[in-house]
Each structure stands twice: as structure tokens, then as C-alpha cells.
């Protein structure tokens, strides 16, 4: 396969890990908001995984004010996903597909930069976007007015089929039919939460855990962070599966991992 998988940081937030996990070490940790571009332009594809925080004004009403007070983002103009791509020599208009793991504000804030892309999302996510409840954590003010009519690939239950990798069974949807980019069902964190297995080697896990080093402590979440998971039992099961895949040599990359390098398939 011929692609590159590039990592960019589009804003960040901070948490005290001891407030998130029982037995966690006290300390403020920065959680960058990662986006990932699978650049396979030889085959006519540039596939972006998530879009980071929105830069500039957020016109998101009281829900947005509450969100920003609870989880204050650090975002400046250079954190904009379009800027990040441009400064790496990539025209945002050349992005062919945008995969949305889920629509929390640190993942969907840059959707507005890709009016011509085809969006890839689960039917579960689309349902929660159509009728968002407060606990879904979707700020509809960040979603552009054109989004309902944007080109979309909506993956329903029947789009996923079993895929064995390193002795473990995943549920995947092979996006291009050639195994280069498989969307993976990773339930638990948000309604219809998905990841992506790229070139069968790197698994972009979205918010299946706050960090790939935190998969082990998914069962030690304190009550508040537990309550914001869509389905905590599924969250724990997904974390256990990812842990087992990591032990089998699959590289697991969570959206809020700190990464020193840019190229993830190298
Ligand atoms: Zn999230």
C-alpha cells in the first residue's frame, strides 16, 4: 500500500487525571486534539479522521458556554484544521473524505472547512445529530448549515462485518474495498462511535480512551467521566479489545494521545 498517515494537533484541553480515574496519579495532563490524514493521493484519496476544535467565535449558546467552562479548550488560529493542512503543503479542498468518529466539539469543530468532501459516519451518530440530547455533547452551532445535504456515506449496522486481526475479531466496514482503510465499530464513548484501521497496521481509536496508555484503567473511571460515556459497559469492552490488539502488535492511536512524530505509518 502506498499511503502516508499524518497526525496534526488542532487545539488541546487539560484534565487532572486523578479526578478522572480512581488511583490515578495527581497531575494536570494536556490532551491534544488530534486529526489524522490518510494521504493516498496516488489512488485519488485523501481521508481525514476527525476535524479538531473550531477556531474563532463559537456561536453555540448556553450549551457551548457550559462546555467551555467544564472543558476549557486552548485553541488559536493556527490550530484550525485547514491551517494545519496548508502549512504541511496540503490543500484542504483536496481532502476527498472526512471520517467522523463522533461529534463532540473537539472532533467536529472543523467540519465547516470541508464543504466538498464526502463525510463518513455511522447511522447511530447521524441519529443523535438529528435529535441531540444534552448528554450527547453535540453543539449543533458548530455544524455548518450545509451539512444535512453534504455528500455522505452512512454506515448502518449491516455495513459492518467481522474481520479477524491478530486473533481478535473486529467489526469493520471496508471503505474502498481494498483493505486500505477499514472503519471499525468501537462502541461505548458516544452513540455510533467509530475508529479506523489504516493499512491493517494503525488503528485510529478516537475517544475509545483518553489516551492509548489509559486503556488499562477504563474500569477505574470515576462517576462523572463514567456518566458522560454513552454506554459504559461497551466502553470497557472496547477498551479491553484495543488493549488486546495493542498487545498483538497493532498500533493503537487515540485522538488525545501526545505524539512527537507526524508520520504514523513510517
Ligand atoms: Zn468525545
Amino acid at each position: 500500500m502506498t499511503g502516508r498517515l499524518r497526525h496534526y494537533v488542532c487545539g488541546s484541553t487539560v484534565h487532572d487525571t486523578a479526578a478522572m480515574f480512581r488511583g490515578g496519579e495527581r497531575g494536570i495532563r494536556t490532551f491534544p486534539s488530534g486529526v489524522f490524514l490518510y494521504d493516498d493521493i496516488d489512488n485519488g484519496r485523501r481521508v481525514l479522521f476527525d476535524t479538531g476544535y473550531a477556531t474563532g467565535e463559537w456561536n453555540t449558546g448556553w450549551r457551548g458556554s457550559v462546555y467551555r467552562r467544564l472543558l476549557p479548550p486552548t485553541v488559536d488560529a493556527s490550530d484550525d484544521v485547514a491551517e494545519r493542512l496548508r502549512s504541511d503543503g496540503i490543500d484542504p479542498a483536496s481532502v476527498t473524505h472526512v471520517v467522523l468518529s463522533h461529534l463532540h466539539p473537539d472532533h467536529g469543530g472543523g467540519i465547516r472547512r470541508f464543504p466538498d468532501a464526502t463525510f463518513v459516519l455511522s447511522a447511530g451518530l447521524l441519529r443523535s445529530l438529528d435529535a441531540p440530547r444534552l448528554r450527547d455533547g453535540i453543539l449543533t452551532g458548530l455544524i455548518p448549515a450545509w451539512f444535512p445535504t453534504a455528500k455522505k456515506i452512512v454506515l448502518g449496522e449491516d455495513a459492518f462485518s467481522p474481520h479477524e486481526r491478530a486473533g481478535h475479531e473486529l467489526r469493520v466496514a471496508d471503505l474502498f474495498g481494498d483493505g486500505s482503510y477499514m472503519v471499525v465499530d468501537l462502541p461505548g464513548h458516544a452513540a455510533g462511535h467509530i475508529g479506523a484501521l489504516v493499512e491493517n497496521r494503525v488503528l485510529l481509536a478516537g475517544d475509545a480512551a483518553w489516551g492509548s496508555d489509559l486503556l488499562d484503567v477504563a474500569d477505574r473511571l470515576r462517576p462523572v467521566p463514567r456518566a458522560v460515556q454513552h454506554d459504559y459497559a461497551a466502553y470497557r469492552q472496547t477498551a479491553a479489545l484495543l488493549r488486546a490488539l495493542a498487545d498483538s502488535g497493532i498500533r493503537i492511536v487515540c485522538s488525545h494521545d501526545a505524539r512527537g512524530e507526524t508520520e504514523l505509518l513510517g
Side-chain angles (χ1 to χ4, degrees):
M1 300 198 201
T2 56
R4 300 184 312 158
L5 186 63
R6 313 281 289 166
H7 173 229
Y8 307 92
V9 171
C10 297
S12 63
T13 189
V14 293
H15 297 290
D16 180 348
T17 46
M20 300 162 72
F21 299 99
R22 278 181 284 118
E25 259 176 64
R26 188 154 282 283
I28 301 294
R29 170 166 158 174
T30 298
F31 290 85
S33 194
V35 310
F36 305 88
L37 182 74
Y38 180 57
D39 187 356
D40 187 17
I41 203 68
D42 291 348
N43 285 312
R45 301 163 195 156
R46 278 190 164 140
V47 187
L48 188 69
F49 185 87
D50 284 340
T51 64
Y53 279 109
T55 53
E57 289 293 310
W58 289 21
N59 297 311
T60 50
W62 66 270
R63 286 183 171 83
S65 305
V66 170
Y67 178 88
R68 294 183 72 134
R69 196 157 59 237
L70 293 175
L71 296 165
T74 302
V75 190
D76 67 35
S78 68
D79 290 317
D80 194 288
V81 60
E83 271 314 301
R84 288 276 183 249
L85 294 174
R86 265 188 223 108
S87 62
D88 198 31
I90 291 171
D91 178 0
S94 69
V95 169
T96 56
H97 298 76
V98 178
V99 177
L100 296 171
S101 66
H102 65 303
L103 277 175
H104 288 162
D106 47 341
H107 296 259
I111 288 175
R112 56 195 173 153
R113 303 299 184 218
F114 304 98
D116 299 320
T118 297
F119 289 85
V120 179
L121 70 170
S122 71
L125 177 57
L126 197 57
R127 274 195 298 275
S128 65
L129 180 60
D130 285 344
R133 297 163 306 165
L134 187 57
R135 69 183 295 271
D136 290 329
I138 297 173
L139 299 179
T140 49
L142 295 176
I143 311 294
W146 49 257
F147 189 72
T149 56
K151 284 172 280 179
K152 290 187 194 72
I153 297 172
V154 179
L155 302 168
E157 270 297 301
D158 56 354
F160 293 89
S161 51
H163 172 72
E164 209 225 87
R165 185 69 179 86
H168 304 286
E169 192 177 292
L170 297 164
R171 294 183 68 243
V172 306
D174 188 350
L175 196 53
F176 303 113
D178 61 2
S180 63
Y181 201 102
M182 287 190 273
V183 175
V184 185
D185 184 26
L186 297 177
H189 174 66
H193 180 266
I194 54 176
L197 180 59
V198 182
E199 298 200 353
N200 235 338
R201 287 195 282 152
V202 177
L203 201 160
L204 305 177
D207 279 2
W210 267 285
S212 51
D213 60 322
L214 297 170
L215 288 166
D216 281 339
V217 293
D219 55 354
R220 302 217 311 257
L221 268 190
R222 290 189 186 277
V224 170
R226 185 183 297 195
V228 299
Q229 306 308 322
H230 174 70
D231 177 341
Y232 182 55
Y235 179 84
R236 289 175 61 172
Q237 269 179 12
T238 291
L241 172 64
L242 294 175
R243 180 71 259 166
L245 286 165
D247 290 343
S248 308
I250 310 298
R251 186 170 185 182
I252 307 294
V253 180
C254 294
S255 288
H256 305 303
D257 278 349
R259 293 272 153 190
E261 82 273 52
T262 298
E263 177 61 49
L264 298 180
L265 282 172

